[in-house]
Amino acid sequence: MELTTVWFGLITVLWIGYFCLEGFDFGVGMLLPVLAEDDTERRVLINTIGPVWDGNEVWVLVAGGATFAAFPEWYATLFSGFYMPLLLILVALIVRGLAFEYRAKRDDDAWRRNWDISIFVGSLVPSLLWGVAFANILRGVPIDSDLEYVGGFFDLLSPYALLGGLMTLLLFLTHGAMFIALKTDGPVRHRAGRLAVRVGAGAAVAAVLFLGWTQLETGSAASAVAFALAAASLLAGLHAALQRREGWAFVGTFAAIALGVAGLFLALFPDVMPTSLAGGASLTTSNASATHYTLTIMTVVAAIFTPVVLAYQAWTYWVFRKRIAVHHIPQATAVTSRA
């Protein structure tokens, strides 16, 4: 197998990890004003992802770095053509991270309310725009014969792309609700379980429409299998949620997102960014890749450090595996500065 194919597969795995793990982070953030009835319950929701949200974001950093090193032409065209949506995602992630850190710094309702809004918006914007971005990558964007993006921001907002954004938004909401039902106890747990089924029904409709559209336009036999398994996993997860089996419900949405992302990359391969112009040139794993020597060095480094990172993150989830309830939350205290 060629190293370009190996690194296309590794980047696929990195995006799968990011969407599966950061996906429920985003879902929890968007559900903060929906499921929590008071500040204590909001703290319960935030604490479910408190130990892991920053580690989950590392996946997208590694995916970006791997793309830069393995497929520099893809990275250059992607970040120049998608500059505005990627900038909005970056700003949203920065604001969201600040909100997690600064929310408890003052014992003031207005202060906490403003940071809660930041968490909500900082979770909603990436949930929508990641779907829009990947939909455009799949369908193709205006790339000329010099491998340069020649379109504008509004060229990215086609009905297909917006449907992709709606799908990721609803999937992350469902995934987040499943995670909350799995990680909490008491009234929040029951509200999350009921909401997961309702939102999941909408996510299933959006996923079938988007993935079916993708399969008709750019799909392959392998992507069709992945999409079918993703749909089956989502339905199985919703069925488990109805039976109040939160663990299997979360596994169902996790598998649905993983298989869906895998199917999207299978539908894309061997392209990495197809062109929508008649006289343009598509970026492929061949013409967008780095040198063989670079890919060889990267493969050795990845083989050494990837298992270490995976083991550490798995250990983190194991340590913080227990449920959280209102009675676990101590009285809020503000951090004051000394003169």
Side-chain angles (χ1 to χ4, degrees), residues 154-180:
F154 291 102
D155 293 326
L156 305 177
L157 302 180
S158 66
Y160 174 77
L162 293 175
L163 178 60
L166 177 64
M167 181 193 69
T168 53
L169 178 69
L170 293 176
L171 278 176
F172 291 165
L173 275 171
T174 306
H175 198 36
M178 298 289 194
F179 181 76
I180 293 169

Side-chain angles (χ1 to χ4, degrees), residues 134-141 158-161 213 217-218 274-276:
F134 269 85
N136 278 285
I137 292 174
L138 280 160
R139 200 177 196 191
V141 291
S158 66
Y160 174 77
W213 194 343
E217 290 205 348
T218 62
T275 183
S276 61

Side-chain angles (χ1 to χ4, degrees), residues 291-304:
T291 64
H292 181 78
Y293 180 75
T294 299
L295 295 178
T296 301
I297 297 297
M298 290 174 59
T299 303
V300 173
V301 172
I304 295 172

Side-chain angles (χ1 to χ4, degrees), residues 44-236:
V44 168
L45 296 185
I46 292 172
N47 284 357
T48 62
I49 60 174
V52 298
W53 69 266
D54 49 352
N56 293 341
E57 287 190 352
V58 172
W59 288 82
V60 74
L61 299 177
V62 179
T67 303
F68 171 76
F71 301 101
E73 287 284 355
W74 184 12
Y75 181 92
T77 303
L78 177 65
F79 277 78
S80 60
F82 290 27
Y83 178 82
M84 184 56 67
L86 292 176
L87 177 63
L88 291 174
I89 290 172
L90 177 61
V91 171
L93 293 177
I94 292 173
V95 171
R96 179 172 170 267
L98 288 172
F100 285 134
E101 297 296 333
Y102 281 89
R103 184 184 187 277
K105 297 301 183 183
R106 287 175 56 182
D107 186 13
D108 180 78
D109 291 339
W111 172 271
R112 288 192 291 264
R113 184 169 56 252
N114 290 334
W115 285 120
D116 288 342
I117 293 171
S118 299
I119 292 173
F120 172 77
V121 175
S123 301
L124 184 145
V125 170
S127 297
L128 177 67
L129 291 184
W130 278 128
V132 171
F134 269 85
N136 278 285
I137 292 174
L138 280 160
R139 200 177 196 191
V141 291
I143 301 174
D144 63 17
S145 57
D146 295 324
L147 304 180
E148 297 289 339
Y149 179 83
V150 293
F153 173 72
F154 291 102
D155 293 326
L156 305 177
L157 302 180
S158 66
Y160 174 77
L162 293 175
L163 178 60
L166 177 64
M167 181 193 69
T168 53
L169 178 69
L170 293 176
L171 278 176
F172 291 165
L173 275 171
T174 306
H175 198 36
M178 298 289 194
F179 181 76
I180 293 169
L182 176 65
K183 283 288 294 176
T184 62
D185 209 349
V188 173
R189 172 186 178 184
H190 302 306
R191 290 197 295 269
R194 292 193 297 269
L195 182 64
V197 175
R198 294 198 295 268
V199 178
V205 173
V208 168
L209 292 174
F210 178 77
L211 298 181
W213 194 343
T214 301
Q215 182 63 28
L216 289 174
E217 290 205 348
T218 62
S220 61
S223 66
V225 173
F227 291 155
L229 292 174
S233 298
L234 180 57
L235 293 176

